[in-house]
Amino acid sequence: MLYYNGQRQTGTSNHSIENINPANGQIIGTIQTASEDDVQKAIESAKSGFRIWSAMSPTERGRILRKAAELLRSKNDEIARIEVEDTGKPISEALEVDIHSGADALEYYGGIAASLHGEHYDLGASFAYTRREPLGICAGIGAWNYPIQIACWKSAPALACGNAMIFKPAELTPRSAVLLAEIYSEAGLPDGVFNIIQGEAEVGQLLTRHPDIRKVSLTGEVGTGKKVMADAAGSLKHVTLELGGKSPLIIFDDADIDEAVNGALLANFYTQGEICSNGTRVYVAQSIKTEFLKKLIDKTKLLKTGDPMDIKTQVGALISREHFEKVLTYIDKGKEEATLLYGGERFEGDQGECKDGYFISPAIFETDDESACIVREEIFGPVMTVLPFTEETEVVRKANDTIYGLAAGVFTRDLKRAHRVVQQLEAGMCWINNYNVTPVEIPFGPYKQSGFGKENGLVTLDAYSQLKTVYVEMDKIDSPY
Ligand code: NAD
């Protein structure tokens, strides 16, 4: 289902996508994708929505966003179940994080909307001022790992600034964004301000190449980011790219080892490893490596893999058969180039109850080969690689030796070292003595080929608005003519 003009619409292309539950391989439903004509209708819908929304007072806009946050939270359990069916992630995570972190963004930007303003410049007799204006129609294109969160993180700042948005969820997780659209409508958002189209890359391109769209914000792979940027260049759209990573997590010899083990688990096995910022290269000081690995493996053995709808499950199913096979291929490759210390097997459950799903037991590899594929490439599954180091300068060099720059983590009790190291890390999001925490108040976004631009925080408002400068002459023109 698509959503424009404030209601659900059916796609009219002659192509449909099967929505499959990764936990059992069964078809949940079929989605008719958007045709070019549908996309044009969504654009017209967004144009009329934009006219109304951009003329409303920021206070009214903020009130509607905050109301939507409240409605979203009230539907937490219902949406969590849909996210779990679509993504295969554990229900305990979806209930706790996915919807709430989306609602946080609606609440946060809803609270800020009324404070957006320009500035006044005193120029003696004359003066100037700036107006913070919306860009117009923005496109949001999402990945499948956090569908509702991504839809909220993109739409909340866009709408707070007075823009309209057309959002395309990932083709593997089409449903929750439509529920968000309905929630926005119920909260009082004028028709056409938030629209949904469905489909694969070709449908995404209809947005990124459309001259009436002023901005595109993508969450996806590095290769997709390059294509989106090239297509957006045709009409010089503003671009935000939140792409993949292969982030380092550095554990120094003075770290609290139990905390570091917890950090490494969070950085690798949450959402069965399908998190862009995951710290999949775990650099451990040589002197504590044996103790760290023992504790790490002991704790990993306790993780419960299985039915994502079971509240006790901690590792769910990978998103699709194709992705599952890709991750297993990396694990096979890893066995040739590194030592597999634990896991990395297809998981079918004690009674074979998971045999039709795409489950892999969390894998821990060890190697000192920095050139190994499993060290260099984003796997996007439950695959951690532990690497040794002895010197601080050595580990900083190794940590930065990657095309990616999304995130990084440091565990140490030495305050000076923590800040000294973080200062040298080429990553947009760094954590000291924690990992993968992303409260809405702080900017989250990449360096290097992981993309550019931020989500969350005040700075994101700059990415969804433009400043108009107005000079006002109060005297006679000082003319040389
Ligand atoms: P993907 O790049 O395959 O797809 C992302 C979205 O882009 C989908 O909606 C897809 O339909 C669309 N798309 C694909 N090709 C397109 C094109 N040429 N033009 C326009 N749209 C196009 O990524 P994925 O497999 O859905 O997600 C996994 C990737 O996302 C991983 O690399 C992961 O690291 C990254 N990711 C990054 C962040 C972040 O914040 N940096 C967050 C989550 C996921």
Side-chain angles (χ1 to χ4, degrees):
M1 44 345 256
L2 321 182
Y3 197 94
Y4 54 83
N5 292 333
Q7 53 185 291
R8 285 184 184 227
Q9 313 273 353
T10 306
T12 62
S13 78
N14 53 14
H15 176 58
S16 61
I17 306 171
E18 282 178 346
N19 183 20
I20 289 173
N21 182 340
N24 54 27
Q26 285 175 8
I27 298 169
I28 300 166
T30 308
I31 308 271
Q32 206 68 24
T33 63
S35 63
E36 204 166 339
D37 187 43
D38 295 330
V39 172
Q40 194 52 43
K41 283 184 180 149
I43 301 248
E44 296 311 322
S45 159
K47 279 185 188 169
S48 76
F50 177 68
R51 275 193 293 276
I52 301 165
W53 186 239
S54 58
M56 275 168 74
S57 84
T59 304
E60 273 178 290
R61 292 204 290 256
R63 197 179 300 129
I64 290 170
L65 282 174
R66 294 197 306 280
K67 175 76 184 159
E70 202 182 294
L71 288 170
L72 191 54
R73 286 193 209 284
S74 74
K75 295 183 189 208
N76 188 54
D77 293 13
E78 177 198 339
I79 300 175
R81 294 184 76 81
I82 285 172
E83 289 297 67
V84 171
E85 282 173 5
D86 278 9
T87 63
K89 68 171 65 194
I91 185 98
S92 57
E93 293 184 13
L95 286 170
E96 190 79 18
V97 174
D98 293 54
I99 295 96
H100 284 298
S101 63
D104 284 352
L106 270 52
E107 212 163 69
Y108 175 78
Y109 290 108
I112 289 167
S115 306
L116 290 171
H117 58 82
E119 286 178 331
H120 175 271
Y121 299 84
D122 198 339
L123 301 170
S126 301
F127 68 95
Y129 61 94
T130 52
R131 288 170 48 79
R132 185 170 285 279
E133 298 185 343
L135 298 169
I137 305 174
C138 302
I141 301 181
W144 42 257
N145 60 340
Y146 278 80
I148 188 102
Q149 184 200 70
I150 292 172
C152 290
W153 283 16
K154 294 192 190 304
S155 61
L159 301 193
C161 291
N163 299 286
M165 174 165 269
I166 302 178
F167 186 81
K168 191 194 86 60
E171 53 272 30
L172 298 172
T173 52
R175 290 192 291 165
S176 58
V178 180
L179 297 181
L180 176 64
E182 287 178 336
I183 284 170
Y184 274 136
S185 292
E186 194 183 335
L189 194 74
D191 291 353
V193 180
F194 185 69
N195 310 275
I196 305 285
I197 59 161
Q198 304 279 0
E200 291 142 317
E202 302 70 40
V203 176
Q205 279 180 322
L206 293 174
L207 296 177
T208 55
R209 293 178 177 174
H210 202 293
D212 292 345
I213 290 180
R214 293 308 313 136
K215 180 194 170 80
V216 53
S217 175
L218 167 80
T219 298
E221 289 179 357
V222 170
T224 307
K226 290 177 184 175
K227 288 182 196 148
V228 162
M229 196 167 161
D231 284 337
S235 48
L236 283 181
K237 294 183 194 349
H238 297 241
V239 178
T240 294
L241 298 175
E242 303 290 342
L243 310 175
K246 189 78 192 176
S247 301
L249 168 59
I250 305 172
I251 296 164
F252 285 101
D253 55 3
D254 65 342
D256 177 326
I257 295 199
D258 294 311
E259 284 284 285
V261 166
N262 283 336
L265 293 174
L266 261 181
N268 281 273
F269 301 143
Y270 206 73
T271 315
Q272 52 287 329
E274 295 167 327
I275 297 186
C276 52
S277 48
N278 269 359
T280 45
R281 293 184 289 140
V282 182
Y283 289 98
V284 182
Q286 184 71 49
S287 59
I288 59 161
K289 202 182 70 179
T290 307
E291 186 186 355
F292 175 85
L293 279 175
K294 182 177 179 320
K295 289 190 167 186
L296 177 73
I297 292 167
D298 286 350
K299 261 201 134 160
T300 304
K301 282 181 181 162
L302 299 176
L303 295 183
K304 186 173 164 8
T305 304
D307 178 9
M309 283 296 180
D310 181 344
I311 195 75
K312 295 200 198 78
T313 292
Q314 291 160 305
V315 182
L318 295 175
I319 186 71
S320 65
R321 172 162 296 283
E322 192 189 353
H323 187 58
F324 165 77
E325 277 163 9
K326 180 179 148 195
V327 174
L328 284 175
T329 305
Y330 268 114
I331 290 171
D332 284 344
K333 181 97 181 121
K335 286 178 189 164
E336 290 164 20
E337 53 188 15
T339 309
L340 179 63
L341 300 178
Y342 180 75
E345 283 151 14
R346 181 174 186 172
F347 178 86
E348 299 193 344
D350 296 339
Q351 317 292 327
E353 68 278 10
C354 293
K355 69 175 177 6
D356 296 325
Y358 315 134
F359 297 88
I360 297 178
S361 58
I364 302 172
F365 281 99
E366 184 187 11
T367 183
D368 59 3
D369 179 3
E370 292 288 324
S371 66
C373 277
I374 57 162
V375 178
R376 306 216 66 81
E377 296 175 21
E378 182 182 47
I379 300 174
F380 220 54
V383 184
M384 174 192 316
T385 305
V386 174
L387 300 123
F389 74 92
T390 45
E391 300 295 328
E392 185 180 306
T393 48
E394 170 205 350
V395 77
V396 168
R397 178 177 47 75
K398 288 177 170 173
N400 287 337
D401 182 19
T402 168
I403 59 162
Y404 299 108
L406 185 51
V410 176
F411 274 77
T412 176
R413 286 189 172 100
D414 180 339
L415 203 62
K416 286 186 185 169
R417 172 152 67 186
H419 293 290
R420 186 171 63 233
V421 168
V422 155
Q423 200 178 334
Q424 297 171 77
L425 291 175
E426 296 165 358
M429 177 74 236
C430 295
W431 291 280
I432 296 174
N433 292 332
N434 206 335
Y435 208 90
N436 270 345
V437 275
T438 54
V440 69
E441 297 89 342
I442 64 173
F444 174 84
Y447 277 14
K448 293 161 83 176
Q449 288 195 37
S450 292
F452 49 79
K454 298 285 178 192
E455 291 194 303
N456 294 340
L458 289 176
V459 71
T460 299
L461 295 164
D462 291 337
Y464 283 104
S465 59
Q466 52 194 346
L467 278 189
K468 176 179 281 170
T469 305
V470 182
Y471 176 95
V472 184
E473 185 55 70
M474 299 291 284
D475 208 339
K476 284 217 170 304
I477 295 177
D478 181 12
S479 172
Y481 308 113

